[in-house]
Amino acid sequence: SDSVAYLVSIANSISSGHDMSYIEGENKSKERFEKKLPLESVFNRLNNNTGNQSYLPNTLDKKNGINYPQDIREIVKVQHSYNDIYEEFKKGLRTIVFEPEYINSILELCEANTSYIPSSIIKKQAVDISLFDHIKITAAIASCIYEYLIYSERTDFKNELLLKEKEFKKEKAFLMFSCDFSGIQQFIYTISSKGALKGLRARSFYLEIMLEHIVDELLTICGLSRVNLIYTGGGHAYILLPNTKDIIENINKANSSINQWFISKFGNALYLAIAYEECSANDLQNISEDKEAYQNIYRNLSSKLSQHKIRRYGADEIRRLNSLGNFSEGRECVVCGTADKLVKDKDDRDICETCNALQEISREIIKDNILIISSDKKISKKINLAVPSLKNTESYISTITENEAKQLIKAEKNSVLKIYSKNRLMTGMKFATKILMGDYCTKNVDGIASFEELAKKSKGIERIAVLRADVDNLGTAFVSGFKSQESDPNKYITLSRTATLSRQLSLFYKYYINDLIKGELGENIKPFSLTGQTENKERNVTIVYSGGDDLFIVGAWNEIIEIAVDIRKAFAKFSEKTLTISAGIGVFDSSYPLSRMALDTEELEKAAKENKNNGNCIKNSISLFGKEVIMDKVEARHTYSWDVFEEKVIGEKLRLLQNTFFKESKNDNSDSYGASFLYKLLYLIRNAEENGDRINIARYAYLLGRMGPDKNNESEYKKYRIFADRMYAWILNDEDRRQLLTAILICVYLHREIKEEE
């Protein structure tokens, strides 16, 4: 009666939700099963999609490029892939010791090998939940039920979960817990110093690893493992917890302790807001009296988090904040401006301990085989990044090699808390998880290339660009994206499917993003090029942050525009066009203040999300360059849907300008026209648009007429007439004129020389 089989059985049912068509008494003939079924794409049913695509079975650590959903017809190939995975899994199991300290290793091994295997092989059933996602959520639910029943001293699992299953499923046995960092923007972007890009990446990494550490600390005090972690990324996490008084007390105490630590370290710059919502098994399956019970879990969590952020501090915390700061010496950190715990860096500058450690770790995190270790005491002579601890005053993050980690565990077993790998599978004692990280960067002899170095690698004008982008309407997709138009609208709304979706997005933006920037987009997708000439080269860009739904990348201005288009095209294929992204791209001088770069580009991203077509907000857009004053209004003039930008602005107008004004081929002996002529056209177009007069249009037509070749040269004159006719037609149409203006700007930037800048 106390067998855990009852826990697993009911958890399996809850995890599967409406997908469970395996009912007692139903025909269980072998014809209902197909052992060679591939895993279907979770995007097949997202946002009313009617797709029918699947994944080739593969392991996550295989470097076969991005695993796009596709129309799979070769079942023999699928079976062969399953055999390979089976052998890999067996080999991995030999390294596992079945003790509690190895549970995260088991989890990692399952993820690496079963992420592209379906959890069900029943024909005519949705098979878009991977075996990994299903068993992980099943384990999370089972562990919560166990803790909930044990706390209530109800150990007759057979009676509670089998004989009284319907009654139990109505109990509020679970807590959906959420936490969210507040102050990320202020913490990351308000730095002004030499080597700002290194500091930017290091601070982004610091928050990411800190959240992973905090999640592990919370799970530990709740007596749970990382199977209960539903999602983490972008300063946000969801965890499934048992609904007991002890758990609630523990997480509230932990939250208070963490925020007290933040106050002592960063004042009010960082804050961790938390919220939790009681829910039943029926709520998780969305089969309660409330027809939107599952969706309301997330809606209520979002509302509670917002309320927590508004009411951050009590009276004691406010008094403590007011008493902080000792400025008697008149010195402050050259990076962040704090006056607390200053040391001298290698350049003999005043710098706080945290910024100094961040400087050091920025050089380490770009290495491929580095491990990150959290410990109760300082284990490194140079890198010890403080993070909050729930059992000591604080813990420390350091970077280390695999051999050093093995030696350290032997020597300091009790001090080592967790070991995190970066983008690679690891198993072993004390291992926490692999951190998927978009870590592509342009390097120099000292580590990461600076803004100045990236600007010099640009084509034409020496500028850097900042790309900020995120997924459109992602919150809505999570809450109600799987609502069906079938007779049962909640058929596909399950916790497992939500977890599968979030994990696929994390794979794309944290893992596959590195391949995308290298130009490895997969079959049938060519890297985009502003010049029209695709070059196989390493891109001169650096990922500052790429998370579950948004990204921040800096680099040579022309290459940033190119990778933005690449990312959009790859994501459209990856998500079967069920999700879209909007992006802002700001172009700056390398000396422009970092905080302003971030804010200006954020405004462009917002403009892209507010882009309209026929009065309807379409999002799914790109906004470039910056806002301008037009007819006494501030507008982001260069904002387009992705298709219009790629096909009309670049494919149509920029290509015509390049072919006319700048000949790329040395063998092309036809006439071309210099940049000065293009500047004159640019001036007239701007005046015609801003003043709405016909005089500038007439001057524009006159200028086009003057540039024509001799009529006796028929072939050249014919080319010219095509160019002139198009250019004149475009200036007469408001939308074409706007697109032409953007194309001319890009063309000018691509071909501007240093003497012109001067």
Side-chain angles (χ1 to χ4, degrees), residues 444-460:
N444 61 16
V445 292
D446 296 322
I448 302 171
S450 66
F451 286 142
E452 293 81 2
E453 289 169 318
L454 290 173
K456 289 184 181 300
K457 292 179 181 293
S458 299
K459 183 173 179 60

Side-chain angles (χ1 to χ4, degrees), residues 435-562:
I435 298 176
L436 297 180
M437 185 185 298
D439 62 349
Y440 182 97
C441 65
T442 301
K443 301 176 183 178
N444 61 16
V445 292
D446 296 322
I448 302 171
S450 66
F451 286 142
E452 293 81 2
E453 289 169 318
L454 290 173
K456 289 184 181 300
K457 292 179 181 293
S458 299
K459 183 173 179 60
I461 191 171
E462 291 188 359
R463 295 288 187 272
I464 61 167
V466 173
L467 165 65
R468 295 188 69 168
D470 72 2
V471 180
D472 299 321
N473 304 319
L474 186 59
T476 304
F478 275 114
V479 171
S480 55
F482 290 109
K483 207 169 184 67
S484 172
Q485 292 182 329
E486 298 179 22
S487 57
D488 182 359
N490 298 323
K491 182 177 181 180
Y492 300 117
I493 297 176
T494 65
L495 184 58
S496 294
R497 195 165 272 109
T498 303
T500 297
L501 174 62
S502 65
R503 200 166 62 83
Q504 284 296 320
L505 293 175
S506 290
L507 276 174
F508 185 89
Y509 283 104
K510 290 186 174 184
Y511 189 57
Y512 293 142
I513 191 74
N514 296 309
D515 294 329
L516 291 177
I517 293 181
K518 292 175 185 175
E520 299 169 4
L521 279 69
E523 295 181 7
N524 303 321
I525 304 182
K526 293 182 179 180
F528 178 72
S529 170
L530 287 176
T531 62
Q533 297 180 338
T534 303
E535 302 175 32
N536 295 320
K537 62 185 179 74
E538 294 286 304
R539 289 257 177 66
N540 295 300
V541 303
T542 292
I543 298 175
V544 173
Y545 173 75
S546 183
D549 66 340
D550 63 336
L551 49 86
F552 186 112
I553 307 176
V554 301
W557 76 270
N558 55 299
E559 298 189 43
I560 284 291
I561 295 176
E562 291 169 348

